[in-house]
Amino acid sequence: MQKLVPGQKIKLSEVTSSNRIDIDVQVQGSSREYDISCFLLNGQEKLPSDDHVVFYNQSKSPQGEVQLAHRDAYSAQFQLDLSRVGSGVQRLAFTCTIDDQHTFKDVKTGRVRVSSEGNVLLEFVFSGQQFSQEKAVILSEVYFKDVWRFGAIAQGFNGGLADLVKHYGGTVAKPSPAPTPAPAPQPAPPVQESKPAGSAEPAGSAGKVNLSKITLEKRGDSGKVNLRKDGRKQPIHINLNWEQHSKPSSSGLWGLLANQPAASSTADLDLGCMFEMQSGYRGVIQALGNSFGAKDTVPYIFLDKDDRSGQSQDGENLLVLRPDLIKRVVVFAYIYQGVSTFQDVGGRMKITDDQGNEIHLKLDQPDPSQKFCAICSIINSGDHIQVTKEELYFRGHQETDEHFGFGFRWQSGQKS
């Protein structure tokens, strides 16, 4: 293993012939969390798009040349396949930022390691003695200059994340003033065909980098929302939407009867939740039984409407207005009528806090035999709430309750 010092650079071909390498970063210090990221940059050292950042909210680059294999509060491991890097990317910058009151001067020790096939090839060690008031630091780079090279950098910005992103030609997306239904997602920029590695990318093409958007892809993936301590309302907006189309569900004679309307297969999905407050009070919010909750009294959870037609463009919405008072919430959806299973509806959920941070998830692993889905759980962890993708399918309310252990008594019901 070869040890490097700040400013030192080396050709990767001097230590390995493989295009597959791992970058391991560890930081230990006074901060409760260090956010470690990889910025994929063009020939002018600018971001081609907001897809070209690999971090805790976006674990894979557009062509899979960089993947976040592991992350916790103090470390991250990135897997690189340099053979997949297209002409639009010339440099991979590995960075670290702090979002609390601490700076990199408070770092006790840190290191960056380069390894391949389990063998550590290079190591760069740093500490707070090399820094002052920096809150964002470029630790190291893998860059192309006739061949792929590695550089130990250790240079930072006092302004933190915003200055770092600005340095790379982007801006951090500002949070929305209030939670609003999401517009239809825009298609990602097209991936460029591979060109000779020396080709340059036009400067100034980076858009806003939305580091406040999390997508929970797999069961068990989670995100968090920080809680305020002043006892005021802090709306958490939960939006359920699905494919909104209708078609005749019958043909033949039924369709030929001129005076008979075609039966609609439009989905009637219902959003709801089971909740338990810190006080021990428990209940269910749902359209069934007209249990829409309350905005200004306990439980401070409110369901805005029952969209039976499937024609409401913003779907159904659940507001958790005092998340500091809850102990846990399980958000669910069930098919009341119109379609057979969740395979037919393309369900998707967006959770937005009052700062505009977003958590997205899709119901993309449906059980074709079940009509009831526990979508996510929300747990109060003291200073934040933890949102975890569940996407578990059950026969109905009672089976879901038995799984999560709320202990309700259930009886048959219908919507009025």
Side-chain angles (χ1 to χ4, degrees), residues 12 20 38 72-73 87 108 114 140 152 169 188 195 205 225 275 282 293 327 333 365 369 385 391 403 412:
L12 286 173
R20 293 178 177 270
C38 176
D72 58 34
S87 62
K108 296 177 181 177
V114 180
S140 60
K195 298 177 183 177
S205 58
V225 175
F275 67 86
R282 294 169 296 161
K327 180 178 181 180
Q365 304 174 58
S369 65
I385 61 169
E391 199 183 352
H403 178 85
S412 300

PDB file of all heavy atoms in Angstrom, residues 12 20 38 72-73 87 108 114 140 152 169 188 195 205 225 275 282 293 327 333 365 369 385 391 403 412:
ATOM      1  N   LEU A  12      -3.047   5.684 -11.895  1.00  0.00           N
ATOM      2  CA  LEU A  12      -3.620   4.444 -11.369  1.00  0.00           C
ATOM      3  C   LEU A  12      -2.970   3.224 -12.003  1.00  0.00           C
ATOM      4  O   LEU A  12      -2.903   2.156 -11.389  1.00  0.00           O
ATOM      5  CB  LEU A  12      -5.132   4.430 -11.586  1.00  0.00           C
ATOM      6  CG  LEU A  12      -5.935   5.349 -10.663  1.00  0.00           C
ATOM      7  CD1 LEU A  12      -7.406   5.375 -11.081  1.00  0.00           C
ATOM      8  CD2 LEU A  12      -5.818   4.895  -9.208  1.00  0.00           C
ATOM      9  N   ARG A  20     -11.729  -1.493 -12.442  1.00  0.00           N
ATOM     10  CA  ARG A  20     -12.679  -1.563 -11.325  1.00  0.00           C
ATOM     11  C   ARG A  20     -11.939  -1.288 -10.022  1.00  0.00           C
ATOM     12  O   ARG A  20     -11.058  -2.066  -9.624  1.00  0.00           O
ATOM     13  CB  ARG A  20     -13.354  -2.933 -11.268  1.00  0.00           C
ATOM     14  CG  ARG A  20     -14.279  -3.204 -12.451  1.00  0.00           C
ATOM     15  CD  ARG A  20     -14.874  -4.592 -12.348  1.00  0.00           C
ATOM     16  NE  ARG A  20     -15.802  -4.873 -13.414  1.00  0.00           N
ATOM     17  CZ  ARG A  20     -17.102  -4.625 -13.375  1.00  0.00           C
ATOM     18  NH1 ARG A  20     -17.625  -4.091 -12.274  1.00  0.00           N
ATOM     19  NH2 ARG A  20     -17.886  -4.908 -14.392  1.00  0.00           N
ATOM     20  N   CYS A  38     -19.897  11.846  -4.372  1.00  0.00           N
ATOM     21  CA  CYS A  38     -19.033  11.846  -5.548  1.00  0.00           C
ATOM     22  C   CYS A  38     -19.684  12.703  -6.626  1.00  0.00           C
ATOM     23  O   CYS A  38     -20.837  12.457  -6.999  1.00  0.00           O
ATOM     24  CB  CYS A  38     -18.814  10.425  -6.073  1.00  0.00           C
ATOM     25  SG  CYS A  38     -17.858  10.355  -7.606  1.00  0.00           S
ATOM     26  N   ASP A  72     -22.695   5.134   6.021  1.00  0.00           N
ATOM     27  CA  ASP A  72     -23.240   5.393   7.342  1.00  0.00           C
ATOM     28  C   ASP A  72     -22.863   6.824   7.728  1.00  0.00           C
ATOM     29  O   ASP A  72     -22.453   7.605   6.866  1.00  0.00           O
ATOM     30  CB  ASP A  72     -22.760   4.355   8.371  1.00  0.00           C
ATOM     31  CG  ASP A  72     -21.245   4.286   8.493  1.00  0.00           C
ATOM     32  OD1 ASP A  72     -20.570   5.329   8.342  1.00  0.00           O
ATOM     33  OD2 ASP A  72     -20.717   3.177   8.737  1.00  0.00           O
ATOM     34  N   ALA A  73     -23.010   7.167   8.991  1.00  0.00           N
ATOM     35  CA  ALA A  73     -22.796   8.564   9.395  1.00  0.00           C
ATOM     36  C   ALA A  73     -21.345   9.005   9.275  1.00  0.00           C
ATOM     37  O   ALA A  73     -21.062  10.212   9.250  1.00  0.00           O
ATOM     38  CB  ALA A  73     -23.279   8.762  10.831  1.00  0.00           C
ATOM     39  N   SER A  87     -17.625  10.013 -22.522  1.00  0.00           N
ATOM     40  CA  SER A  87     -16.817  11.194 -22.836  1.00  0.00           C
ATOM     41  C   SER A  87     -17.267  12.434 -22.082  1.00  0.00           C
ATOM     42  O   SER A  87     -16.504  13.394 -21.940  1.00  0.00           O
ATOM     43  CB  SER A  87     -16.874  11.472 -24.338  1.00  0.00           C
ATOM     44  OG  SER A  87     -18.221  11.746 -24.732  1.00  0.00           O
ATOM     45  N   LYS A 108     -11.070  14.581  13.922  1.00  0.00           N
ATOM     46  CA  LYS A 108      -9.948  13.947  14.607  1.00  0.00           C
ATOM     47  C   LYS A 108      -9.044  13.232  13.609  1.00  0.00           C
ATOM     48  O   LYS A 108      -7.825  13.388  13.629  1.00  0.00           O
ATOM     49  CB  LYS A 108     -10.465  12.972  15.660  1.00  0.00           C
ATOM     50  CG  LYS A 108     -11.251  13.647  16.774  1.00  0.00           C
ATOM     51  CD  LYS A 108     -11.803  12.618  17.749  1.00  0.00           C
ATOM     52  CE  LYS A 108     -12.617  13.291  18.853  1.00  0.00           C
ATOM     53  NZ  LYS A 108     -13.219  12.286  19.776  1.00  0.00           N
ATOM     54  N   VAL A 114      -7.874   3.673  -1.787  1.00  0.00           N
ATOM     55  CA  VAL A 114      -8.161   3.141  -3.114  1.00  0.00           C
ATOM     56  C   VAL A 114      -7.799   1.665  -3.090  1.00  0.00           C
ATOM     57  O   VAL A 114      -6.674   1.297  -2.712  1.00  0.00           O
ATOM     58  CB  VAL A 114      -7.339   3.869  -4.198  1.00  0.00           C
ATOM     59  CG1 VAL A 114      -7.673   3.294  -5.580  1.00  0.00           C
ATOM     60  CG2 VAL A 114      -7.607   5.366  -4.165  1.00  0.00           C
ATOM     61  N   SER A 140     -10.508  14.018  -2.495  1.00  0.00           N
ATOM     62  CA  SER A 140      -9.661  13.385  -3.512  1.00  0.00           C
ATOM     63  C   SER A 140     -10.386  13.372  -4.841  1.00  0.00           C
ATOM     64  O   SER A 140     -11.601  13.620  -4.912  1.00  0.00           O
ATOM     65  CB  SER A 140      -9.293  11.958  -3.094  1.00  0.00           C
ATOM     66  OG  SER A 140     -10.464  11.175  -2.934  1.00  0.00           O
ATOM     67  N   ALA A 152      -4.719  13.334  -4.257  1.00  0.00           N
ATOM     68  CA  ALA A 152      -5.090  13.678  -2.884  1.00  0.00           C
ATOM     69  C   ALA A 152      -5.226  15.199  -2.816  1.00  0.00           C
ATOM     70  O   ALA A 152      -4.249  15.907  -3.059  1.00  0.00           O
ATOM     71  CB  ALA A 152      -4.039  13.175  -1.910  1.00  0.00           C
ATOM     72  N   GLY A 169     -20.444  24.518 -10.771  1.00  0.00           N
ATOM     73  CA  GLY A 169     -21.330  25.066 -11.793  1.00  0.00           C
ATOM     74  C   GLY A 169     -22.798  24.818 -11.581  1.00  0.00           C
ATOM     75  O   GLY A 169     -23.610  25.046 -12.483  1.00  0.00           O
ATOM     76  N   ALA A 188     -35.235  12.267 -17.779  1.00  0.00           N
ATOM     77  CA  ALA A 188     -33.840  12.577 -17.506  1.00  0.00           C
ATOM     78  C   ALA A 188     -33.129  12.960 -18.789  1.00  0.00           C
ATOM     79  O   ALA A 188     -33.532  12.554 -19.877  1.00  0.00           O
ATOM     80  CB  ALA A 188     -33.155  11.359 -16.877  1.00  0.00           C
ATOM     81  N   LYS A 195     -17.505   8.456 -26.360  1.00  0.00           N
ATOM     82  CA  LYS A 195     -16.592   9.069 -27.310  1.00  0.00           C
ATOM     83  C   LYS A 195     -15.173   8.938 -26.768  1.00  0.00           C
ATOM     84  O   LYS A 195     -14.973   8.522 -25.633  1.00  0.00           O
ATOM     85  CB  LYS A 195     -16.950  10.558 -27.505  1.00  0.00           C
ATOM     86  CG  LYS A 195     -18.348  10.767 -28.072  1.00  0.00           C
ATOM     87  CD  LYS A 195     -18.640  12.245 -28.160  1.00  0.00           C
ATOM     88  CE  LYS A 195     -20.066  12.477 -28.662  1.00  0.00           C
ATOM     89  NZ  LYS A 195     -20.402  13.917 -28.688  1.00  0.00           N
ATOM     90  N   SER A 205     -23.569  23.709 -18.327  1.00  0.00           N
ATOM     91  CA  SER A 205     -24.756  22.927 -18.628  1.00  0.00           C
ATOM     92  C   SER A 205     -25.413  22.339 -17.394  1.00  0.00           C
ATOM     93  O   SER A 205     -26.385  21.625 -17.493  1.00  0.00           O
ATOM     94  CB  SER A 205     -24.376  21.777 -19.576  1.00  0.00           C
ATOM     95  OG  SER A 205     -23.373  20.974 -18.997  1.00  0.00           O
ATOM     96  N   VAL A 225     -36.806  13.080   8.473  1.00  0.00           N
ATOM     97  CA  VAL A 225     -37.236  14.478   8.528  1.00  0.00           C
ATOM     98  C   VAL A 225     -36.929  14.983   9.934  1.00  0.00           C
ATOM     99  O   VAL A 225     -37.393  14.398  10.920  1.00  0.00           O
ATOM    100  CB  VAL A 225     -38.738  14.618   8.226  1.00  0.00           C
ATOM    101  CG1 VAL A 225     -39.183  16.058   8.416  1.00  0.00           C
ATOM    102  CG2 VAL A 225     -39.062  14.134   6.825  1.00  0.00           C
ATOM    103  N   PHE A 275     -52.180   4.745  13.529  1.00  0.00           N
ATOM    104  CA  PHE A 275     -51.242   5.587  14.260  1.00  0.00           C
ATOM    105  C   PHE A 275     -51.270   5.279  15.752  1.00  0.00           C
ATOM    106  O   PHE A 275     -52.248   4.757  16.291  1.00  0.00           O
ATOM    107  CB  PHE A 275     -51.548   7.075  14.044  1.00  0.00           C
ATOM    108  CG  PHE A 275     -52.867   7.527  14.638  1.00  0.00           C
ATOM    109  CD1 PHE A 275     -52.949   7.917  15.973  1.00  0.00           C
ATOM    110  CD2 PHE A 275     -54.025   7.551  13.869  1.00  0.00           C
ATOM    111  CE1 PHE A 275     -54.171   8.332  16.526  1.00  0.00           C
ATOM    112  CE2 PHE A 275     -55.244   7.958  14.412  1.00  0.00           C
ATOM    113  CZ  PHE A 275     -55.315   8.351  15.746  1.00  0.00           C
ATOM    114  N   ARG A 282     -54.352   5.553  20.200  1.00  0.00           N
ATOM    115  CA  ARG A 282     -54.206   4.902  18.905  1.00  0.00           C
ATOM    116  C   ARG A 282     -55.493   5.073  18.095  1.00  0.00           C
ATOM    117  O   ARG A 282     -56.570   5.257  18.658  1.00  0.00           O
ATOM    118  CB  ARG A 282     -53.924   3.404  19.084  1.00  0.00           C
ATOM    119  CG  ARG A 282     -52.585   3.084  19.730  1.00  0.00           C
ATOM    120  CD  ARG A 282     -52.515   1.611  20.119  1.00  0.00           C
ATOM    121  NE  ARG A 282     -53.521   1.293  21.133  1.00  0.00           N
ATOM    122  CZ  ARG A 282     -53.953   0.059  21.404  1.00  0.00           C
ATOM    123  NH1 ARG A 282     -53.495  -0.962  20.717  1.00  0.00           N
ATOM    124  NH2 ARG A 282     -54.857  -0.138  22.336  1.00  0.00           N
ATOM    125  N   GLY A 293     -60.060  12.164  10.464  1.00  0.00           N
ATOM    126  CA  GLY A 293     -59.109  12.755  11.390  1.00  0.00           C
ATOM    127  C   GLY A 293     -59.403  14.205  11.701  1.00  0.00           C
ATOM    128  O   GLY A 293     -60.517  14.695  11.514  1.00  0.00           O
ATOM    129  N   LYS A 327     -45.903   8.541  17.931  1.00  0.00           N
ATOM    130  CA  LYS A 327     -44.914   7.513  18.240  1.00  0.00           C
ATOM    131  C   LYS A 327     -44.603   6.722  16.978  1.00  0.00           C
ATOM    132  O   LYS A 327     -43.444   6.492  16.653  1.00  0.00           O
ATOM    133  CB  LYS A 327     -45.431   6.586  19.335  1.00  0.00           C
ATOM    134  CG  LYS A 327     -44.454   5.486  19.728  1.00  0.00           C
ATOM    135  CD  LYS A 327     -45.018   4.629  20.869  1.00  0.00           C
ATOM    136  CE  LYS A 327     -44.015   3.546  21.266  1.00  0.00           C
ATOM    137  NZ  LYS A 327     -44.564   2.697  22.377  1.00  0.00           N
ATOM    138  N   ALA A 333     -52.660   1.805   1.781  1.00  0.00           N
ATOM    139  CA  ALA A 333     -53.625   2.042   0.704  1.00  0.00           C
ATOM    140  C   ALA A 333     -54.300   0.720   0.402  1.00  0.00           C
ATOM    141  O   ALA A 333     -53.683  -0.348   0.509  1.00  0.00           O
ATOM    142  CB  ALA A 333     -52.934   2.583  -0.551  1.00  0.00           C
ATOM    143  N   GLN A 365     -43.476  -3.527  -6.385  1.00  0.00           N
ATOM    144  CA  GLN A 365     -43.312  -4.962  -6.116  1.00  0.00           C
ATOM    145  C   GLN A 365     -44.648  -5.565  -5.673  1.00  0.00           C
ATOM    146  O   GLN A 365     -44.744  -6.200  -4.628  1.00  0.00           O
ATOM    147  CB  GLN A 365     -42.244  -5.177  -5.046  1.00  0.00           C
ATOM    148  CG  GLN A 365     -40.894  -4.554  -5.391  1.00  0.00           C
ATOM    149  CD  GLN A 365     -39.920  -4.671  -4.239  1.00  0.00           C
ATOM    150  OE1 GLN A 365     -39.623  -5.765  -3.765  1.00  0.00           O
ATOM    151  NE2 GLN A 365     -39.431  -3.534  -3.765  1.00  0.00           N
ATOM    152  N   SER A 369     -52.127 -11.156  -5.591  1.00  0.00           N
ATOM    153  CA  SER A 369     -53.248 -11.786  -4.882  1.00  0.00           C
ATOM    154  C   SER A 369     -53.835 -10.905  -3.785  1.00  0.00           C
ATOM    155  O   SER A 369     -54.832 -11.288  -3.165  1.00  0.00           O
ATOM    156  CB  SER A 369     -52.785 -13.112  -4.267  1.00  0.00           C
ATOM    157  OG  SER A 369     -51.809 -12.891  -3.254  1.00  0.00           O
ATOM    158  N   ILE A 385     -38.045  12.112  12.486  1.00  0.00           N
ATOM    159  CA  ILE A 385     -38.873  10.952  12.196  1.00  0.00           C
ATOM    160  C   ILE A 385     -38.209  10.171  11.071  1.00  0.00           C
ATOM    161  O   ILE A 385     -37.609  10.741  10.157  1.00  0.00           O
ATOM    162  CB  ILE A 385     -40.327  11.329  11.816  1.00  0.00           C
ATOM    163  CG1 ILE A 385     -40.373  12.194  10.559  1.00  0.00           C
ATOM    164  CG2 ILE A 385     -41.037  11.992  12.963  1.00  0.00           C
ATOM    165  CD1 ILE A 385     -41.776  12.368  10.015  1.00  0.00           C
ATOM    166  N   GLU A 391     -43.907  -1.496   1.814  1.00  0.00           N
ATOM    167  CA  GLU A 391     -44.557  -2.153   0.671  1.00  0.00           C
ATOM    168  C   GLU A 391     -44.819  -3.633   0.949  1.00  0.00           C
ATOM    169  O   GLU A 391     -44.340  -4.529   0.244  1.00  0.00           O
ATOM    170  CB  GLU A 391     -43.773  -1.988  -0.616  1.00  0.00           C
ATOM    171  CG  GLU A 391     -44.681  -2.270  -1.831  1.00  0.00           C
ATOM    172  CD  GLU A 391     -43.973  -2.212  -3.165  1.00  0.00           C
ATOM    173  OE1 GLU A 391     -42.798  -1.820  -3.234  1.00  0.00           O
ATOM    174  OE2 GLU A 391     -44.616  -2.578  -4.157  1.00  0.00           O
ATOM    175  N   HIS A 403     -49.725  -7.750  11.881  1.00  0.00           N
ATOM    176  CA  HIS A 403     -48.302  -7.706  11.548  1.00  0.00           C
ATOM    177  C   HIS A 403     -47.588  -6.591  12.311  1.00  0.00           C
ATOM    178  O   HIS A 403     -46.480  -6.796  12.831  1.00  0.00           O
ATOM    179  CB  HIS A 403     -48.120  -7.495  10.038  1.00  0.00           C
ATOM    180  CG  HIS A 403     -46.687  -7.386   9.613  1.00  0.00           C
ATOM    181  ND1 HIS A 403     -45.907  -8.489   9.341  1.00  0.00           N
ATOM    182  CD2 HIS A 403     -45.875  -6.300   9.440  1.00  0.00           C
ATOM    183  CE1 HIS A 403     -44.689  -8.091   9.009  1.00  0.00           C
ATOM    184  NE2 HIS A 403     -44.642  -6.769   9.053  1.00  0.00           N
ATOM    185  N   SER A 412     -66.604  -5.340   9.824  1.00  0.00           N
ATOM    186  CA  SER A 412     -66.849  -5.000   8.433  1.00  0.00           C
ATOM    187  C   SER A 412     -67.486  -3.623   8.333  1.00  0.00           C
ATOM    188  O   SER A 412     -68.256  -3.192   9.194  1.00  0.00           O
ATOM    189  CB  SER A 412     -67.773  -6.027   7.765  1.00  0.00           C
ATOM    190  OG  SER A 412     -67.165  -7.305   7.820  1.00  0.00           O
TER     191      SER A 412
END
